[in-house]
Amino acid sequence: MNTYNSRNDVPEKEKWNLSDIYDSIEEWEEDYRKVEELTKELHSFNGNIKDGKALYNFLHKEEEVELLFKNVYVYAKLKGDLDTRETLAQSLLEKADQLGVKVNSATSFFTPFLLGLEKDTLERFIQDETGLDYFKKDLYDAFRYKDHVLTKENEELLSQLGESLSSPSRTFGMINNADIKFGEVTNDDGEKVELTRGQYSKLIEDEDRTKREEAYKAYYEPYVQLKNSIASTLSSAIKTNVTLSKLRHYPSALEKSLFGKKIPKEVYENLIQTTRANLDSMYKYTELRKETLAVDQLRQYDLAVPLVSGVKEDIPYDEAYETMMKALSPLGNDYLQVLKEMKDSRYIDVRETPGKRSGAYNLGLYGTHPFVLLNHQDDLDSLFTLAHEMGHAMHSYYSNKHQPQITAGYTIFVAEVASTVNEVLLINYLLKNAKNKDYRKYLLNHFIDQFKGTFFTQVMFAEFEKKTHERAEQGEPLNAESFSELYEALFQEYNGEALLLEEETKYGWARIPHFYRPFYVYQYATGFAAAIDIANKIMSGDEEVLANYLEFLKSGSSDYPIELLKKAGVDLTSPEPIENALNLFKELVEEFSAE
């Protein structure tokens, strides 16, 4: 595994080429000033949209500003994420955030104005100005929000509070990425060194149980120490969401989150209920893990170690990319050619370096290309992360190429489908080409653990979010104690009695960034279920499903997400895809047990 003490040590080919957006800070500042000027022009439309032509001019100008602002914001974010300690990059991001507030303020009048129109007035505007055909779907969709939009004055006030309302998330981000200092672990030379996230992902899988326990304790140490501060940020985020939901007259915070994409509340509730009704296979796997490891008491630091020893191997980044390409060959030559271009043209920032944002993501920028952040560790997990993020990147690439700006972005609900299809194709390729029985069993174990993390854990998180928001809605306290009590109970319920919980387990909520993006994580599970269905049909050679899937990748947000998935052959309003996924998990556990 390559480790780097400085970004300067990383090969150029493994670093983003941010000059694809701007060659210099001066160019960035020039666009920043352009957005400021254009924002003033947007202000001038307030109170002056009297006909279809004026309406078109405003929407056209708004789209121009949006594209320019995204360039400004994305450049600042990407630079900032490369080193969260670097003052200049963080100041650019702060400026971009402030600019975003100005843009939102300049356009905040529009939705109340639009919803104040009579429908026949809007129809006349569209009839009189042919340019409005481009915006027609969005305009009519906006009428769905008629009961949830405040007065013009209150909307402007809320837009001014934008930066303050996002403060809990930003504060947690700085704590989690820039300020966190993990405890110490013992290196191979017997010396004490500070744990990093990258080291933790390795050590928690180490065959030496003492090392796993030491890494686990060191990883959770700062979260336990900071539990009250982090509880304060999470409580503020939840209460803010609940308050905004009430102000906008939604029945609940959950329904506010689902409203925009027309996701029935039953999809969320059925996911939790169907999973809870099928936890027996999870309990069987927990028992199996305890037996295989031959421990008297199964602990949380025993949950990630592979159950098959002696077959783990390093997978260098270039080899990982080649393996991924072979695994994804069922998706066709065009798909593979674009993947190759993404690597060659430096769309990917590969290595973990000091101060770099943790984790991995894809950020698609319309008119430029996707940018993928990794913290690659040359192991099997990193191979799966690579395939996952490149699924996102390909979805962004195809949608941006085939959709106009207005519908190029895809919604979160469908976002995890492309990434998980890639993972399912990858595990099937690896299983099919396993060198021996032990390696096949190792891969089965890995996929079961991936399944557990992507599906069961996310459903548990989804239930945690649902219950914490309900508590806030009922005026119950939200603090470190109440978060911990709930999280500990859910963790036990989802993993079974064979697992003896650590004292640290209850503080798991304190380390989850997704909790600051309310009701996001359930979509990992629904997307996973949809992806399993699609991938299995593609692997069976169903050409129609493949063609429909590639069309889905090109569809952006041209329809509501539930409808887009139906076109791809998956109906998530039915429990069937969830049940199919859970049945697959049961089969995997039984196959692993029988090997």
Side-chain angles (χ1 to χ4, degrees), residues 392-460:
H392 287 310
M394 291 298 294
H395 197 174
S396 295
Y397 172 85
Y398 277 127
S399 285
N400 286 350
K401 183 178 179 184
H402 293 277
Q403 293 292 321
Q405 185 182 336
I406 197 167
T407 54
Y410 49 84
T411 65
I412 294 166
F413 190 81
V414 298
E416 295 307 325
V417 174
S419 53
T420 310
V421 163
N422 279 12
E423 288 193 69
V424 176
L425 291 175
L426 174 61
I427 189 62
N428 276 276
Y429 172 83
L430 294 174
L431 286 169
K432 195 178 290 184
N433 292 278
K435 291 171 282 193
N436 53 53
K437 186 178 178 181
D438 282 348
Y439 195 66
R440 179 179 169 80
K441 192 167 183 178
Y442 171 69
L443 290 168
L444 274 172
N445 176 209
H446 188 276
F447 190 43
I448 289 168
D449 285 340
Q450 287 281 101
F451 202 127
K452 181 185 168 187
T454 309
F455 190 89
F456 287 98
T457 301
Q458 304 309 322
V459 177
M460 183 189 78

Side-chain angles (χ1 to χ4, degrees), residues 172 174-182 194-195 197 219 222-223 226 230:
F172 175 76
M174 292 308 291
I175 291 172
N176 202 37
N177 291 309
D179 296 339
I180 279 278
K181 290 205 176 295
F182 297 107
E194 185 185 326
L195 181 71
R197 290 182 201 277
Y219 179 73
Y223 294 110
L226 295 167
I230 297 175

Side-chain angles (χ1 to χ4, degrees), residues 5 54-55 100 115 126 141-142 144 147 149 168 189 228 230-231 235 278 334 376 458 469 481 504-505 509 540 562 588:
N5 295 321
L55 177 58
L115 296 184
I126 293 171
D141 278 350
R144 296 179 58 240
D147 296 334
V149 172
D189 299 323
N228 292 312
I230 297 175
S235 173
N278 289 274
D334 182 68
H376 198 82
Q458 304 309 322
H469 277 79
E481 186 179 350
E504 292 89 348
T505 303
W509 55 268
S540 74
I562 288 282
L588 290 167

Side-chain angles (χ1 to χ4, degrees), residues 324-344:
M324 175 186 69
M325 296 270 285
K326 289 173 185 172
L328 301 182
S329 62
L331 298 177
N333 289 332
D334 182 68
Y335 192 99
L336 296 180
Q337 191 55 44
V338 177
L339 268 183
K340 182 178 184 304
E341 171 66 17
M342 287 182 174
K343 181 172 185 272
D344 294 345

Side-chain angles (χ1 to χ4, degrees), residues 15-50:
K15 294 193 282 193
W16 278 329
N17 181 15
L18 294 186
S19 64
D20 286 350
I21 313 174
Y22 295 113
D23 279 326
S24 64
I25 301 295
E26 289 73 26
E27 275 192 13
W28 180 87
E29 287 172 338
E30 188 179 326
D31 269 5
Y32 185 98
R33 287 190 291 272
K34 275 185 197 170
V35 174
E36 282 189 314
E37 288 303 312
L38 289 169
T39 300
K40 292 173 188 172
E41 292 181 34
L42 288 176
H43 268 296
S44 69
F45 284 93
N46 191 352
N48 292 312
I49 301 178
K50 309 293 186 186

Side-chain angles (χ1 to χ4, degrees), residues 28-81:
W28 180 87
E29 287 172 338
E30 188 179 326
D31 269 5
Y32 185 98
R33 287 190 291 272
K34 275 185 197 170
V35 174
E36 282 189 314
E37 288 303 312
L38 289 169
T39 300
K40 292 173 188 172
E41 292 181 34
L42 288 176
H43 268 296
S44 69
F45 284 93
N46 191 352
N48 292 312
I49 301 178
K50 309 293 186 186
D51 55 28
K53 183 67 174 173
L55 177 58
Y56 170 78
N57 287 341
F58 168 76
L59 293 171
H60 182 70
K61 184 67 66 180
E62 183 187 38
E63 189 175 66
E64 181 187 351
V65 172
E66 181 186 323
L67 183 59
L68 208 52
F69 170 70
K70 279 185 179 172
N71 286 340
V72 168
Y73 180 82
V74 168
Y75 182 83
K77 176 175 173 52
L78 297 179
K79 276 192 79 68
D81 284 352

Side-chain angles (χ1 to χ4, degrees), residues 20 45 105 141 199 231 314 327 345 394 399 448 462 482-483 557 583:
D20 286 350
F45 284 93
S105 174
D141 278 350
Q199 288 170 340
D314 281 347
S345 298
M394 291 298 294
S399 285
I448 289 168
S482 65
F483 287 142
S557 56
N583 287 336

Side-chain angles (χ1 to χ4, degrees), residues 82-214:
L82 293 177
D83 192 342
T84 57
R85 308 163 304 172
E86 213 265 302
T87 310
L88 173 61
Q90 295 310 316
S91 69
L92 290 183
L93 188 54
E94 278 181 28
K95 282 182 71 176
D97 280 335
Q98 290 162 6
L99 185 62
V101 171
K102 289 179 185 176
V103 173
N104 287 337
S105 174
T107 58
S108 63
F109 77 91
F110 181 70
T111 301
F113 156 77
L114 184 65
L115 296 184
L117 292 176
E118 294 299 324
K119 194 169 183 181
D120 58 355
T121 304
L122 178 60
E123 286 171 347
R124 191 176 73 251
F125 284 178
I126 293 171
Q127 191 175 359
D128 292 347
E129 175 53 57
T130 55
L132 286 173
D133 284 346
Y134 175 77
F135 298 101
K136 186 176 178 179
K137 180 180 177 293
D138 275 17
L139 289 168
Y140 284 135
D141 278 350
F143 270 84
R144 296 179 58 240
Y145 288 88
K146 199 171 182 72
D147 296 334
H148 306 293
V149 172
L150 307 180
T151 63
K152 177 182 168 184
E153 291 76 15
N154 285 339
E155 288 291 345
E156 287 176 352
L157 182 62
L158 277 181
S159 73
Q160 292 294 327
L161 291 172
E163 198 170 354
S164 300
L165 295 176
S166 66
S167 178
S169 175
R170 285 181 60 78
T171 302
F172 175 76
M174 292 308 291
I175 291 172
N176 202 37
N177 291 309
D179 296 339
I180 279 278
K181 290 205 176 295
F182 297 107
E184 293 185 331
V185 293
T186 309
N187 68 13
D188 292 339
D189 299 323
E191 301 166 335
K192 291 287 186 183
V193 294
E194 185 185 326
L195 181 71
T196 69
R197 290 182 201 277
Q199 288 170 340
Y200 178 71
S201 68
K202 286 278 191 185
L203 289 170
I204 202 64
E205 295 181 0
D206 200 287
E207 292 181 10
D208 185 334
R209 199 181 192 207
T210 306
K211 284 187 176 181
R212 298 201 303 270
E213 181 179 6
E214 184 184 44

